[in-house]
Amino acid sequence: MDSAFWSRMLTEETLAFHIIWAAIGVGVPIFISLAEFIGIRKKDIHYTMLAKRWTRGFVITVAVGVVTGTCIGVLLSLLWPTFMQLVGNVISLPLFLETFAFFFEAIFLGIYLYTWDRFKNPYIHWLTSIPVIIGSTLSAVFITTVNSFMNTPAGFKLDSAGKVVDIDPIGAMLNPATPSKVGHVVSSSYLVSGFLLAGLAAFFILRGRKHIYYKKALKLTMITTFILCITTILMGDISAKFLAKHQPAKLAAMEWHFETSKGAPLVLFGKLDPETNEVKYAIEIPKALSILATNSPDGTVIGLDSIPKNLWPPLYIHYLFDAKVSIAFFLLFIAALFLFLSLWKKGNPFHPLVLYGIVIAAPLSFIAMELGWIFSEVGRLPWIITGIMKVGEAATTAANVKLMYFLFTGLYLLLAIVAVTVLIRLFKGKTAEAELASKEESN
Amino acid sequence: MTLEVIGISVLWTFLYGYIIVASIDFGAGFFSYYSHLTKKEHIINKIIDRYLSPVWEVTNVFLIFFIVGIVGFFPDTAYYYGTALLIPGGIALILLTIRGSFYAFANYGGRQSKVFLFLYGMTGLFIPAALSTGLTISEGGFIVESDKNIEFLAVKLFQSPYSWTVVFLAIVSILYISASFLTYYAKKAGDFPAMEQLRRYSLFWSGPTILASILVFWGLSHHNPMHFAKAWDIRWVFACSFLFYLIAVWLMWKRKLLGLSFVAVMFQFAFAFFGYGYSHLPYLLYPYITLQSGLTNTTMGWALVIAFIAGLVLLIPSLVLLMWLFLFNAKYVKDGK
């Protein structure tokens, strides 16, 4: 195995680990801010407590997000120096802006954490949560534009020597993939954070916690996630149309669409024979792929036959895509069910089965996010920058990448174990009920 | 001013910012651990935690800013340094990761543990050592370019006396900078036992700092005589640095104007650091990358400068707010509220 292989492994591992914490870092501030606002507005101490307890856990996850984010930021140059040398010129603006957004967030997170009882007017403290949200969301936006650039490079030309010329910094940021990617990434980050918090509340109710505090937490998060489910799925649909237009190879591989055709059917599930490329056990929905990709039942969808075989992405991404979409619809179902049962007078949204569904939805949502990223990244292979540079050409020539891979693997394992242990210890024996009781006593 | 000069000045300023804030942080970690070993933690830990908790994340950003910035302005640096620094860079990253996350685990997780404290203290010395290799490598002699390949001579770096003088300077400086700042902070908090303890640290480490600086010059004169000659041409800058050093130590000794004493420390390092940087030019990596050869496309360069100014408009008020809330707010400094 060469440096390129280990560089890929290390990058994949770092990103897969980082996005868990990064998504929490982007999404949870929304919920904290929302809860604090409702708490001040309704003068309801339960919501304020919710914001405080979420914040306490959030800081731990943010710390892991920050340090792993630093890792991937630096590893980009360490593992892919040729890539950075070529396009460092083009993508440095969003990278630079991302650091600013992160800076902004870091400053206000410190302020938010340490000024809970500092101001007479509670809204002032609440206001400091807004820059945290803006900062974290903008970092997601800027970094996603870089990834979009790698999918659909724009905003520059290559001269005959292969050097980058005529750079348009804004054009590179606003490349064709940017709108759909940014929308999908931001919306799904909020979504998984919502399900994480909802899953926790549902878990505690199932464990027999009766306090209204948990029900309030569940209602707040589930109503929000219902909206987010819809926007995320909508963004996913926009992404499919985008792929059909700009990255047909990825779409064709993920849908196992071999022949360019009009009125293409959608292949759901199934199994591929790698020798003959025959699909078995699949559900075919006539014309659905054309509708999905082009908004018209007779639209033409480019198949893999139009793409040289050595430029095909790996065909296993179909499985990842199916799994991800299935989870997405399960998430929508459970959120809709909860909402329906809350609105229906005879309904009981806190039925154990619903609660179990929500508890399961939390890890599933994170799995869907991982699958989505893997499918999107692998779907770009063999390119690191579509049509410009292949993965193998970009990797470092340095020895010892393998050693680094194992060192970092150990590091992430350690971080995961310690972070989870610390989080559990943080809340163990300190129930919300007890904290609320002591708070009410002191008032 | 030309684009490349603006670029390198901005980046160098941020690296300087990082050196100051990170030194406070790294040194604080070491003092925490050391005072724990000598059973004096009750004296200074409260002061250290009160300052560090709201700002530790900000410290991290300074470094990322520099790295992202230098790759953006001078993409060739990514190619050369990226290939060469895989091992030292990777190790520094791992240490930074452990340090940052474990700080949060210990401080926000609400439980002080000896292991956390140990890791926090020791990584604070190893990280600057690892990061300072970047500066050593920039002097040339540790990277060889053959066709299509960059080779990093790790063994040579390890055996180089110059490299070790830089490491020595990095470590003693952080202890000196950190102690000087924390003495001032303790005084603001009215915590006189902590102040006395930290003052002793500051005076103790001031000597080795000057010794190490002289050693670095000696090492440089052997390793890269050309750079040394350029530094000698602007020796008045380094003389200024020494003057501020004397002012800082004198004020510290007299227990007078500790804030001003720390400002003098900042000037001492600013003169030395910018003098070093200026005499390093035009090379970013001797002899492969110069300021001009490594420059990014000019359109992008100006876009970065504009983004930088816009960013500062946002950042400076925020940083002032942060300092006003946690550094110059007597109530917070005294009671942590």
Side-chain angles (χ1 to χ4, degrees):
Chain A
M1 296 298 167
D2 55 352
S3 290
F5 173 81
W6 291 110
S7 297
R8 257 190 71 192
M9 294 295 287
L10 181 49
T11 310
E12 278 171 16
E13 172 185 80
T14 304
L15 278 173
F17 189 65
H18 173 64
I19 56 171
I20 298 172
W21 313 92
I24 297 174
V26 172
V28 170
I30 300 269
F31 291 90
I32 293 175
S33 179
L34 209 58
E36 192 188 358
F37 182 74
I38 299 174
I40 301 172
R41 199 62 209 272
K42 290 190 175 175
K43 294 200 167 49
D44 186 333
I45 188 172
H46 295 150
Y47 285 100
T48 313
M49 181 61 64
L50 208 50
K52 280 195 175 178
R53 284 173 67 92
W54 279 343
T55 307
R56 222 177 292 158
F58 174 67
V59 186
I60 303 292
T61 59
V62 153
V64 184
V66 168
V67 293
T68 53
T70 311
C71 285
I72 190 64
V74 181
L75 283 178
L76 205 57
S77 295
L78 293 180
L79 295 176
W80 310 97
T82 321
F83 162 76
M84 287 306 285
Q85 191 186 24
L86 179 70
V87 292
N89 269 323
V90 196
I91 57 171
S92 42
L93 182 65
L95 286 177
F96 206 63
L97 288 173
E98 196 234 345
T99 331
F100 268 120
F102 174 36
F103 218 141
F104 193 54
E105 180 200 346
I107 291 172
F108 279 93
L109 186 63
I111 293 176
Y112 185 79
L113 289 178
Y114 285 87
T115 54
W116 271 99
D117 305 309
R118 202 79 177 266
F119 309 107
K120 280 222 170 83
N121 182 349
Y123 282 109
I124 295 180
H125 178 259
W126 172 76
L127 274 177
T128 62
S129 72
I130 304 296
V132 178
I133 296 177
I134 295 174
S136 60
T137 299
L138 278 184
S139 1
V141 170
F142 289 128
I143 205 64
T144 309
T145 68
V146 176
N147 181 268
S148 306
F149 172 84
M150 292 160 78
N151 278 282
T152 53
F156 70 102
K157 288 197 183 96
L158 283 180
D159 67 4
S160 51
K163 280 246 171 199
V164 169
V165 290
D166 282 346
I167 296 178
D168 166 15
I170 306 291
M173 269 173 72
L174 299 179
N175 60 75
T178 296
S180 55
K181 270 222 182 236
V182 165
H184 203 52
V185 164
V186 170
S187 170
S188 55
S189 299
Y190 293 170
L191 180 66
V192 295
S193 302
F195 269 109
L196 175 71
L197 300 174
L200 282 172
F203 176 76
F204 286 121
I205 299 175
L206 276 174
R207 286 274 296 259
R209 304 272 178 89
K210 297 239 164 20
H211 202 283
I212 181 96
Y213 167 88
Y214 297 98
K215 293 189 173 172
K216 284 179 180 170
L218 196 58
K219 269 203 168 155
L220 171 70
T221 47
M222 285 309 284
I223 292 171
T224 324
T225 47
F226 174 73
I227 302 166
L228 291 168
C229 273
I230 293 176
T231 54
T232 308
I233 290 174
L234 220 65
M235 291 295 170
D237 180 56
I238 294 172
S239 303
K241 290 178 180 43
F242 153 79
L243 285 181
K245 210 169 161 193
H246 295 277
Q247 280 186 294
K250 196 191 270 187
L251 184 78
M254 85 189 204
E255 297 291 0
W256 286 345
H257 183 56
F258 289 96
E259 281 161 37
T260 304
S261 55
K262 286 183 178 180
L266 184 70
V267 179
L268 288 180
F269 308 106
K271 188 175 173 298
L272 186 75
D273 185 327
E275 300 291 318
T276 59
N277 283 340
E278 266 177 52
V279 182
K280 285 179 197 159
Y281 319 117
I283 307 168
E284 276 200 15
I285 307 175
K287 307 208 180 216
L289 183 59
S290 283
I291 299 176
L292 209 65
T294 63
N295 270 343
S296 138
D298 293 314
T300 309
V301 182
I302 295 173
L304 283 165
D305 57 352
S306 313
I307 295 147
K309 201 159 184 183
N310 60 340
L311 298 181
W312 283 13
L315 295 178
Y316 69 79
I317 60 173
H318 176 79
Y319 301 113
L320 308 180
F321 180 71
D322 274 357
K324 162 188 132 138
V325 173
S326 308
I327 293 175
F329 279 99
F330 171 73
L331 297 179
L332 177 67
F333 165 75
I334 198 81
L337 183 68
F338 182 90
L339 204 64
F340 169 73
L341 292 175
S342 316
L343 294 175
W344 186 32
K345 277 190 185 153
K346 286 181 193 163
N348 173 20
F350 303 105
H351 189 280
L353 276 180
V354 182
L355 294 177
Y356 276 117
I358 296 172
V359 170
I360 296 168
L364 277 181
S365 66
F366 279 87
I367 292 173
M369 180 179 69
E370 293 281 354
L371 290 174
W373 269 115
I374 297 172
F375 132 75
S376 170
E377 293 299 277
V378 174
R380 193 175 65 227
L381 287 177
W383 303 105
I384 189 166
I385 315 167
T386 308
I388 309 274
M389 184 184 245
K390 289 194 181 156
V391 172
E393 303 159 5
T396 180
T397 48
N400 301 319
V401 188
K402 187 177 169 184
L403 171 73
M404 280 296 142
Y405 171 77
F406 287 110
L407 282 178
F408 274 92
T409 308
L411 175 72
Y412 299 143
L413 275 176
L414 178 78
L415 276 187
I417 294 168
V418 180
V420 172
T421 318
V422 167
L423 279 171
I424 292 174
R425 202 187 279 155
L426 198 55
F427 292 101
K428 206 168 190 182
K430 288 177 209 145
T431 61
E433 292 90 325
E435 250 183 272
L436 284 167
S438 73
K439 190 98 188 167
E440 271 152 13
E441 229 167 76
S442 68
N443 277 357
Chain B
M1 248 203 290
T2 53
L3 182 58
E4 59 266 32
V5 174
I6 297 177
I8 197 67
S9 310
V10 164
L11 294 173
W12 205 242
T13 309
F14 263 83
L15 193 57
Y16 169 73
Y18 179 68
I19 284 179
I20 297 295
V21 290
S23 292
I24 295 174
D25 186 337
F26 291 144
F30 178 77
F31 291 134
S32 274
Y33 182 62
Y34 179 74
S35 63
H36 178 81
L37 283 184
T38 51
K39 308 260 176 266
K40 282 180 185 152
E41 67 263 40
H42 54 282
I43 304 180
I44 62 170
N45 271 11
K46 216 160 61 190
I47 285 299
I48 290 177
D49 286 342
R50 202 163 288 166
Y51 166 74
L52 284 184
S53 296
V55 302
W56 75 270
E57 216 191 343
V58 177
T59 308
N60 221 9
V61 192
F62 273 93
L63 178 67
I64 303 179
F65 196 98
F66 174 74
I67 292 173
V68 168
I70 195 159
V71 172
F73 267 106
F74 307 101
D76 277 353
T77 56
Y79 179 61
Y80 285 91
Y81 284 110
T83 312
L85 287 173
L86 180 69
I87 297 282
I91 288 172
L93 264 186
I94 290 176
L95 292 174
L96 272 173
T97 305
I98 291 177
R99 183 185 163 80
S101 50
F102 279 42
Y103 178 76
F105 295 159
N107 269 56
Y108 307 123
R111 197 174 121 147
Q112 296 286 352
S113 110
K114 273 181 201 165
V115 182
F116 286 168
L117 216 55
F118 170 77
L119 285 172
Y120 189 62
M122 295 325 283
T123 49
L125 296 187
F126 282 109
I127 295 168
L131 290 179
S132 65
T133 55
L135 284 181
T136 312
I137 290 170
S138 75
E139 296 295 339
F142 303 106
I143 291 180
V144 183
E145 186 179 27
S146 54
D147 12 308
K148 294 218 153 206
N149 205 357
I150 306 283
E151 200 193 340
F152 171 53
L153 310 173
V155 178
K156 195 175 167 201
L157 182 75
F158 216 70
Q159 291 168 345
S160 151
Y162 174 65
S163 155
W164 288 106
T165 57
V166 174
V167 169
F168 178 50
L169 177 63
I171 291 175
V172 294
S173 316
I174 62 161
L175 295 173
Y176 172 56
I177 295 174
S178 184
S180 304
F181 172 78
L182 291 169
T183 310
Y184 162 66
Y185 199 70
K187 173 141 194 238
K188 285 216 61 147
D191 188 342
F192 294 103
M195 188 195 105
E196 279 306 312
Q197 187 64 39
L198 289 158
R199 173 178 166 273
R200 240 169 277 147
Y201 292 151
S202 166
L203 290 172
F204 178 82
W205 289 107
S206 64
T209 304
I210 282 303
L211 177 69
S213 312
I214 295 166
L215 281 176
V216 163
F217 273 108
W218 169 79
L220 189 64
S221 70
H222 289 271
H223 185 81
N224 187 340
M226 202 186 78
H227 184 177
F228 179 78
K230 287 195 72 179
W232 184 250
D233 286 345
I234 50 161
R235 52 190 177 274
W236 63 272
V237 175
F238 300 99
C240 285
S241 170
F242 186 68
L243 186 70
F244 278 107
Y245 163 78
L246 292 178
I247 295 171
V249 173
W250 188 73
L251 288 173
M252 185 60 80
W253 181 256
K254 291 276 175 195
R255 294 187 182 81
K256 270 186 200 158
L257 304 169
L258 293 174
L260 200 65
S261 167
F262 180 67
V263 171
V265 172
M266 283 177 70
F267 271 107
Q268 176 201 336
F269 278 88
F271 272 104
F273 188 71
F274 283 92
Y276 168 82
Y278 181 78
S279 54
H280 198 293
L281 294 179
Y283 290 104
L284 296 179
L285 171 62
Y286 182 82
Y288 297 112
I289 315 173
T290 64
L291 212 48
Q292 285 77 22
S293 79
L295 184 68
T296 192
N297 168 288
T298 39
T299 327
M300 183 49 100
W302 287 114
L304 288 180
V305 171
I306 292 166
F308 175 75
I309 293 167
L312 279 190
V313 171
L314 197 68
L315 280 187
I316 289 175
S318 315
L319 275 173
V320 169
L321 181 65
L322 187 75
M323 291 207 281
W324 175 69
L325 284 170
F326 300 112
L327 212 54
F328 301 110
N329 186 302
K331 201 161 177 304
Y332 173 79
V333 180
K334 282 201 176 88
D335 326 316
K337 271 185 183 168

